[in-house]
Amino acid sequence: MIVRPLDAGDKDQWQALYDGYHRFYDRPDLPQDFFDGVFDRLMGGDPQDFHALVAEADGRLLGLTHYVFHPHMWFPEGVCYLQDLFASADARGKGVGRALIEGVYAAADAAGGPRVYWLTQEFNYAGRMLYDRVGVRTPFIRYNRPL
Amino acid sequence: MIVRPLDAGDKDQWQALYDGYHRFYDRPDLPQDFFDGVFDRLMGGDPQDFHALVAEADGRLLGLTHYVFHPHMWFPEGVCYLQDLFASADARGKGVGRALIEGVYAAADAAGGPRVYWLTQEFNYAGRMLYDRVGVRTPFIRYNRPL
Amino acid sequence: MIVRPLDAGDKDQWQALYDGYHRFYDRPDLPQDFFDGVFDRLMGGDPQDFHALVAEADGRLLGLTHYVFHPHMWFPEGVCYLQDLFASADARGKGVGRALIEGVYAAADAAGGPRVYWLTQEFNYAGRMLYDRVGVRTPFIRYNRPL
Amino acid sequence: MIVRPLDAGDKDQWQALYDGYHRFYDRPDLPQDFFDGVFDRLMGGDPQDFHALVAEADGRLLGLTHYVFHPHMWFPEGVCYLQDLFASADARGKGVGRALIEGVYAAADAAGGPRVYWLTQEFNYAGRMLYDRVGVRTPFIRYNRPL
C-alpha cells in the first residue's frame, strides 16, 4: 500500500470512496455536481484550499483524506485541519486510516506547519480506536451557529 | 456598548484584553513580539487571515473576538471559525460575549458564508452557559497530532 | 450555618426544597403522596434506605442532600451514593452545597465506608463548578435500560 | 448458549472470568481472598447484596454479570445497578454481553423493579458499541470523593 496525492485519473475511484464517506454521515445521494466541484478544487492546486491523499494497493484506491492549511492566531505558521478521512469497508483494519493520517503529518511537516488536528463525533468508536493511537484527545468540543 | 472592527488606535487596550485571554488558558507572560505580530496580522487586511471585533462602551474596550474564514469541503462558500473570545473580568454578565458572537454572525453573513463554529473546553462552564444560548453543541470533539 | 440530620419537624421546609429540586429537573407538580412517602422513608431509620442532611441557618433550611449506602463488588464495606443535592435559589454561592457534601463525607466516614460518589448531568455547569472543587470527575458515563 | 444464575460448582471458571475483568481495568494479581469473599457474597442469597448471572455454552462459562438492587429516592420499587459485565476474549462478538444484559433486565422485571442502569468509561468503545444497542446513553457523568 502506498499513500500518494490524488491524481486526475483517480476520479471514479475517489468518488466512490467519498460517496461512502458521506453515506457514513447520513448524506446519501449527493448530486454529481457536488463531486465534480470538490474534485476540481482538490486538483486545482490552490495552496489555501484543500488537498487530498489516497491510499492505493494493486491499482485500487482503499481510502482518502482531505486536509487544508489555515491561519491560526497563536501559531504564525498556521495549522493543518484534517477534515475527511475514509477507508473502504473491505479495507478496514489494514492500517489504511493510520497510513493516511501519517501522510497528512508528513505533508504538514513539509509545509512547515506541523500542527495537525481533526474533529470526530464522540460516538465514532471505530474511528477513535485509531485516533487514540495516532493522536491525542483534547477536551475541546465544537459549537455551531444555529442555522 | 457597540461592536466594531478593531482599529489601529486600539492596540494598548486590545493587548490588555488578549493577554487576559491567554492567562485564562495558562499562558502568562507572552512576549511583546507575539502581540505585535498578531496585531499586525489583524490590521493587515488579508481576507484569508484573521479579523477582529471589539466591544466598546464609553471609549473602553470590554471584549474582543478573532475569527477567520477558511475553506470547507462540503460548503464551497467556506466557513467561519471563531477562535478567540474574551471579555474583561469586570464586564462579565453584561452581554459582551453574546454581542461579540452576534457580531461575528453578522460578519459571516456579510461575507456570504454564514456558517460559524468554535471550539471550547468541555469544562469551560461559564463560557458554555453562554454558548448554549447562542449556539448549538455538536458531538464533535478535537484530536491533535502529538507534538 | 449548620449541617444536621433531617428532623420530623422539618417537613414543610424540606418539602419546599425538594420540590425545587424536582423543578430543576423539569418534574413540577409532584403529588403530595410522593413527598409523604419520601419523607417517611427518610425518617424511617432503615440503615439500607436513604438518609437526609439539611443545612440550616437562623432556623431556616437552605439546602438538603439524600444519600444511601449500597453494596459494591470491589469494596466489601460498601459505598455511599449521594443522589440528591439542592440549595434554595437565594442561598446559592454561600457554601451550602459544599457543606452538605462534606456532611455526607463525614457520615460515610462514620459508617466505615468512606467512598462517596454522585452523578450529574454533563451540562450542569453550576453544579460542576462546585463538584470540581470537592470531588474528582471520572470518565464514567451512565447508560439506562430503555423503558 | 444459556444465561443462568451462578452456581456453587462454577467457582473456578467464574474466577478466571472475573480475574480477566479486573485485568481489563488494570487491576491484576488480586489475592485469592478477594475472589473467595466475592464468591461467598454472590452465593449467600442476601437479596440486598449482589447477584450473578453467567453465560454458558457446552459446559463452558463465556461471561458473567453482577448486579444489585438498591433504593432510589424517586422510585419506591428501587433500581437495579449492573456493575460488572465481562465476556472472555474468545467469546466476543457472539452476543454474550447482550444476553447477559438481557438476563439482568429479566431479573429486574421479576423483582418488580424494572429500571436497570450501568456506568462505563467514556472511552470503552467496544462496550459502548453494544450499550448503544441495548441501552440509552444519558448525560450523567460520575464524580468521586477524592480519597
Side-chain angles (χ1 to χ4, degrees):
Chain A
M1 176 175 60
I2 61 164
V3 169
R4 60 165 178 79
L6 185 69
D7 185 87
D10 294 325
K11 188 168 179 190
D12 289 351
Q13 289 198 68
W14 167 87
Q15 181 168 331
L17 286 170
Y18 200 43
D19 182 61
Y21 172 85
H22 282 282
R23 288 177 189 275
F24 176 81
Y25 280 107
D26 286 321
R27 290 187 299 271
D29 305 318
L30 291 166
Q32 185 58 39
D33 274 2
F34 172 78
F35 292 104
D36 292 346
V38 170
F39 195 77
D40 286 351
R41 287 170 60 193
L42 292 170
M43 298 304 299
D46 180 348
Q48 294 183 302
D49 204 343
F50 276 86
H51 311 278
L53 296 177
V54 289
E56 176 186 4
D58 303 322
R60 216 180 122 241
L61 296 197
L62 306 178
L64 62 77
T65 184
H66 301 150
Y67 59 97
V68 70
F69 297 97
H70 71 74
H72 192 284
M73 279 313 295
W74 316 347
F75 310 116
E77 72 277 17
V79 295
C80 177
Y81 171 37
L82 190 165
Q83 185 176 16
D84 298 336
L85 180 72
F86 190 71
S88 66
D90 55 341
R92 302 278 165 78
K94 295 177 181 167
V96 173
R98 172 188 283 269
L100 288 163
I101 291 173
E102 290 175 348
V104 175
Y105 288 176
D109 287 338
R115 290 177 206 272
V116 180
Y117 73 96
W118 60 96
L119 305 179
T120 197
Q121 287 169 312
E122 181 271 336
F123 48 78
N124 179 9
Y125 308 131
R128 292 182 61 192
M129 286 180 192
L130 168 62
Y131 304 154
D132 284 346
R133 290 195 302 268
V134 300
V136 176
R137 186 196 170 166
T138 75
F140 283 88
I141 61 175
R142 176 174 169 149
Y143 275 82
N144 283 344
R145 176 185 188 179
L147 284 180
Chain B
M1 178 175 58
I2 62 164
V3 169
R4 60 164 177 79
L6 185 69
D7 185 87
D10 295 324
K11 188 168 180 191
D12 289 350
Q13 289 199 68
W14 167 87
Q15 180 167 331
L17 286 170
Y18 200 42
D19 182 61
Y21 172 85
H22 282 281
R23 288 176 190 276
F24 177 81
Y25 280 107
D26 287 320
R27 288 187 301 269
D29 304 318
L30 291 165
Q32 185 60 39
D33 274 2
F34 172 79
F35 293 104
D36 291 347
V38 170
F39 195 77
D40 285 352
R41 286 170 61 193
L42 291 170
M43 298 304 299
D46 179 347
Q48 293 182 302
D49 204 343
F50 275 85
H51 310 277
L53 297 178
V54 289
E56 177 185 3
D58 302 323
R60 215 179 123 241
L61 297 197
L62 306 177
L64 61 77
T65 183
H66 301 151
Y67 59 97
V68 68
F69 297 97
H70 71 75
H72 191 285
M73 279 312 296
W74 316 348
F75 310 116
E77 72 277 19
V79 295
C80 177
Y81 171 38
L82 189 164
Q83 185 176 14
D84 298 335
L85 180 73
F86 191 70
S88 65
D90 56 339
R92 302 277 166 79
K94 295 178 181 167
V96 173
R98 172 189 285 268
L100 287 164
I101 292 172
E102 290 175 347
V104 176
Y105 289 175
D109 286 339
R115 290 176 205 272
V116 179
Y117 73 97
W118 60 95
L119 305 180
T120 197
Q121 287 170 310
E122 181 272 336
F123 47 78
N124 179 7
Y125 308 131
R128 292 182 61 192
M129 287 180 190
L130 168 62
Y131 303 154
D132 285 346
R133 291 196 301 269
V134 299
V136 176
R137 186 197 171 167
T138 75
F140 283 89
I141 60 176
R142 175 173 169 149
Y143 275 82
N144 282 346
R145 176 184 188 181
L147 284 181
Chain C
M1 177 176 58
I2 61 165
V3 169
R4 60 165 177 80
L6 185 68
D7 185 87
D10 295 324
K11 188 169 179 188
D12 289 351
Q13 289 198 67
W14 167 87
Q15 181 168 330
L17 287 169
Y18 200 43
D19 182 61
Y21 172 84
H22 283 282
R23 288 176 189 276
F24 177 81
Y25 280 107
D26 287 321
R27 290 186 298 270
D29 304 319
L30 291 165
Q32 185 59 39
D33 274 1
F34 171 79
F35 293 104
D36 292 346
V38 170
F39 194 77
D40 286 352
R41 286 171 61 193
L42 291 170
M43 298 304 298
D46 179 349
Q48 294 183 303
D49 204 344
F50 276 85
H51 310 278
L53 296 177
V54 290
E56 177 186 3
D58 302 322
R60 215 180 123 241
L61 297 197
L62 305 177
L64 62 78
T65 183
H66 301 150
Y67 59 98
V68 69
F69 297 98
H70 71 73
H72 192 284
M73 279 313 294
W74 315 348
F75 310 116
E77 72 276 17
V79 296
C80 177
Y81 171 37
L82 189 165
Q83 185 176 16
D84 298 335
L85 180 72
F86 190 71
S88 66
D90 55 341
R92 302 277 165 78
K94 296 177 181 167
V96 173
R98 171 188 283 270
L100 287 164
I101 291 173
E102 290 175 348
V104 175
Y105 288 175
D109 287 339
R115 290 174 206 275
V116 179
Y117 73 96
W118 61 95
L119 305 179
T120 197
Q121 287 170 312
E122 181 272 335
F123 47 78
N124 179 7
Y125 308 132
R128 292 183 61 191
M129 287 180 190
L130 168 62
Y131 304 154
D132 285 346
R133 291 197 300 270
V134 300
V136 176
R137 187 197 170 165
T138 75
F140 284 88
I141 60 176
R142 175 174 170 149
Y143 274 83
N144 283 345
R145 177 185 187 180
L147 284 180
Chain D
M1 177 175 60
I2 62 165
V3 169
R4 60 166 177 79
L6 184 68
D7 185 88
D10 295 325
K11 189 169 180 190
D12 289 351
Q13 289 199 67
W14 167 85
Q15 182 168 330
L17 286 169
Y18 200 42
D19 182 62
Y21 172 84
H22 282 282
R23 289 177 189 276
F24 177 81
Y25 280 107
D26 287 320
R27 289 187 300 270
D29 304 320
L30 291 167
Q32 185 60 37
D33 274 2
F34 172 78
F35 293 104
D36 292 346
V38 170
F39 194 76
D40 285 352
R41 287 170 60 193
L42 291 170
M43 298 304 299
D46 179 348
Q48 293 182 304
D49 204 343
F50 276 85
H51 310 279
L53 296 178
V54 290
E56 176 185 4
D58 302 323
R60 218 181 119 240
L61 296 197
L62 306 177
L64 62 76
T65 184
H66 301 151
Y67 59 97
V68 69
F69 298 97
H70 72 72
H72 191 284
M73 280 311 295
W74 315 348
F75 310 116
E77 72 277 18
V79 296
C80 177
Y81 170 38
L82 189 165
Q83 186 177 14
D84 298 335
L85 180 73
F86 190 70
S88 64
D90 55 340
R92 302 276 165 77
K94 295 178 180 165
V96 173
R98 172 188 283 268
L100 287 164
I101 292 172
E102 290 175 348
V104 176
Y105 288 176
D109 287 339
R115 290 176 205 273
V116 179
Y117 73 97
W118 60 96
L119 305 179
T120 197
Q121 286 169 313
E122 182 271 336
F123 48 77
N124 178 9
Y125 307 132
R128 292 182 61 192
M129 286 180 190
L130 168 62
Y131 304 153
D132 285 346
R133 290 196 301 270
V134 300
V136 176
R137 187 198 171 164
T138 74
F140 283 88
I141 61 176
R142 175 173 170 150
Y143 276 82
N144 283 345
R145 177 184 187 180
L147 284 181

